[in-house]
Amino acid sequence: MKAVLIIADGLGGRPTDVSGKTCLEAAQTPNLDELASRGVIGLVDPIAPGIRPGSDTAHLSLLGYDPYQVYAGRGVFECLGIGMSVQPGDICFRANFATVTPDEDGFIVEDRRAGRISSGQHELAEALNAISLEKSVGVEFDFRASTQHRGALLLRGKQLSPFVTDNDPHESGKKAIAFQPVVGHDDEVACRTATAMNELVSYSYEVLHDHPVNQQRQRAGEHPANYILARGASILPYLDPIETLYGVRGAVIAGGALYRGIALACGMERIDAPGTTGGLDTDLASKAKTVLEALRRLDYVFLHVKGTDNAAHDHDAKAKTAFIERIDAELVGPLMEDIDWERTHLAFTGDHTTPIDYGDHTAEPVPVLFVGPNVRQDSTIAFGEREASRGGLCRFSGRILPMLFNYNNWNPKFGS
Ligand code: ZN
Ligand code: ZN
């Protein structure tokens, strides 16, 4: 048997237009509707009713883990997803290039995203990595650039703590904040970690500001990428590998580093589909093709698409609806065509609701569908929030991957 899990980030919505429909309900989705009519649908609270999920905690929960037990911050998943090898004890941060101007005792953040820099990031990262932390003896670090201004940073050394605050003021025109020990965890180890991070970001300005890449950016009237903002300090959590839990092997296909990182932490392998961007311009047909190829070799595939959430954060109902239609036509269509439906179960859902008006995640449950030979078909014939509330699965919390695997008889028995 084979299994496919598709998560469209931020898929769920609230009514957006005069017709009172959500983006998913308004979108023309003949293929998802067909799958809903062949399968069973319902509503899933990604974590639990009333909990507003982050994408990271929601994914952990949907993959069958208890985020309250295992979640230790986002930075580690970003580091893993970018391809860094994270070791126990390393402190991982989500990091990005920013534009700052110095003032008398610090730096003012002019642009948190350094003009969404799109070239030269790897040269800048190289210059940054040549820094040695003179005051923080024995502490090493590694910065990796990913897409645009984004990247990840890893701090390595004896006696480091994940209990340090962020330096990101989260608003342009404000001062970069000094890293500090988290209140209640302000021991010597956390102080040492905060000192190393403060040393690192102050050197980052020295090394980056006059770098040739930034000189060129300034000549072109662009914001220099002359500073590092870091947040989400975390260590490697222990997650029981999926192969240990269910005895099956699978892969993740995702444009966003965070999602690859979470899946890698669960023991999946990473497959890169050509043309994936983690945005609205991603190549969905390429993703479908890569899923079908991976299924020949592996037991299951987890496919993530991010564009739905990006459009919703940008308050763009049209873009979200259009992207859902693209998912239906360019991703779900080809999969329906070529999957061996006699021996495959597929689940399609979102990791949370991201309403257009609010522009951030909310706690409403998200529609989910399961289809395949062992599924007890219900009477619904369309895929959407309200249709799902009438589906045979009713409403439940998290654990989509174990539910999918159960149809393939892969799950261990609890008790005798
Ligand atoms: Zn999400
Ligand atoms: Zn989001």
Side-chain angles (χ1 to χ4, degrees):
M1 298 296 285
K2 305 279 179 178
V4 180
L5 168 63
I6 303 173
I7 296 182
D9 212 285
L11 177 71
R14 290 175 179 165
T16 51
D17 57 13
V18 279
S19 68
K21 287 182 173 168
T22 69
C23 292
L24 176 60
E25 289 167 345
Q28 297 296 316
T29 55
N31 293 314
L32 285 168
D33 294 345
E34 164 75 20
L35 288 182
S37 73
R38 281 196 226 161
V40 65
I41 67 175
L43 286 171
V44 57
D45 288 288
I47 297 173
I51 304 294
R52 279 183 62 209
S55 282
D56 43 14
T57 49
H59 273 76
L60 286 168
S61 177
L62 296 175
L63 294 175
Y65 299 91
D66 178 354
Y68 293 101
Q69 293 288 325
V70 298
Y71 183 64
R74 174 166 178 157
V76 64
F77 299 126
E78 295 281 348
C79 284
L80 286 169
I82 286 178
M84 299 168 99
S85 103
V86 181
Q87 295 170 14
D90 290 348
I91 311 300
C92 301
F93 295 83
R94 217 179 148 190
N96 60 272
F97 290 111
T99 305
V100 297
T101 50
D103 78 345
E104 65 262 28
D105 59 343
F107 295 93
I108 304 291
V109 178
E110 305 292 349
D111 181 355
R112 291 179 59 243
R113 300 186 179 92
R116 289 194 185 268
I117 180 170
S118 59
S119 66
Q121 304 99 313
H122 298 285
E123 285 103 301
L124 294 172
E126 212 172 290
L128 200 62
N129 286 329
I131 296 171
S132 63
L133 301 175
E134 282 159 17
K135 282 182 256 167
S136 306
V137 181
V139 180
E140 292 169 19
F141 72 92
D142 187 14
F143 175 87
R144 295 269 184 102
S146 60
T147 53
Q148 295 185 331
H149 54 285
R150 301 180 194 94
L153 175 76
L154 180 156
L155 214 55
R156 180 170 292 164
K158 287 198 182 98
Q159 301 253 303
L160 294 173
S161 163
F163 296 111
V164 290
T165 57
D166 308 344
N167 69 334
D168 187 345
H170 292 279
E171 223 179 290
S172 295
K174 288 208 169 154
K175 208 168 196 157
I177 304 158
F179 291 95
Q180 285 168 359
V182 171
V183 176
H185 296 274
D186 44 351
D187 54 12
E188 209 180 299
V189 181
C191 289
R192 179 177 138 88
T193 312
T195 303
M197 286 302 289
N198 286 322
E199 192 184 358
L200 168 58
V201 294
S202 83
Y203 276 140
S204 77
Y205 180 80
E206 283 176 34
V207 172
L208 297 177
H209 186 66
D210 292 321
H211 189 282
V213 168
N214 280 330
Q215 287 180 356
Q216 205 188 332
R217 287 182 68 77
Q218 277 173 301
R219 278 196 299 273
E222 293 169 329
H223 283 159
N226 62 8
Y227 197 71
I228 297 297
L229 293 175
R231 59 194 194 276
S234 59
I235 51 169
L236 192 64
Y238 179 75
L239 300 176
D240 288 317
I242 288 174
E243 192 171 349
T244 310
L245 294 171
Y246 307 98
V248 291
R249 290 180 49 233
V252 58
I253 299 168
L258 173 67
Y259 310 95
R260 288 197 299 269
I262 292 169
L264 287 165
C266 304
M268 295 185 209
E269 75 173 71
R270 164 183 174 174
I271 298 179
D272 292 331
T276 55
T277 62
L280 288 161
D281 58 348
T282 200
D283 187 341
L284 293 165
S286 162
K287 283 189 159 173
K289 195 166 158 253
T290 310
V291 170
L292 292 164
E293 280 163 10
L295 283 179
R296 284 189 216 131
R297 185 169 60 82
L298 296 162
D299 302 305
Y300 71 95
V301 177
F302 159 42
L303 175 72
H304 180 266
V305 281
K306 182 68 183 164
T308 22
D309 191 51
N310 295 358
H313 279 283
D314 289 344
H315 306 281
D316 191 341
K318 246 192 185 159
K320 186 173 178 182
T321 306
F323 191 72
I324 293 169
E325 292 183 347
R326 275 193 60 212
I327 292 174
D328 189 80
E330 295 166 33
L331 176 65
V332 179
L335 289 178
M336 276 173 73
E337 192 89 341
D338 285 326
I339 277 177
D340 176 357
W341 286 110
E342 282 178 20
R343 42 189 228 108
T344 307
H345 288 96
L346 178 143
F348 184 97
T349 189
D351 62 337
H352 46 75
T353 292
T354 311
I356 298 296
D357 283 351
Y358 187 58
D360 203 346
H361 310 175
T362 58
E364 289 96 328
V366 185
V368 55
L369 80 81
F370 290 93
V371 62
N374 291 335
V375 168
R376 293 193 296 241
Q377 192 184 7
D378 63 13
S379 59
T380 55
I381 51 161
F383 188 63
E385 286 85 345
R386 268 160 282 207
E387 192 73 1
S389 70
R390 291 188 284 271
L393 290 169
C394 304
R395 179 171 173 171
F396 59 95
S397 295
R399 303 193 58 81
I400 295 291
L401 192 75
M403 289 168 74
L404 175 65
F405 284 2
N406 171 66
Y407 287 120
N408 283 0
N409 303 327
W410 288 346
N411 295 15
K413 196 194 281 177
F414 175 47
S416 67

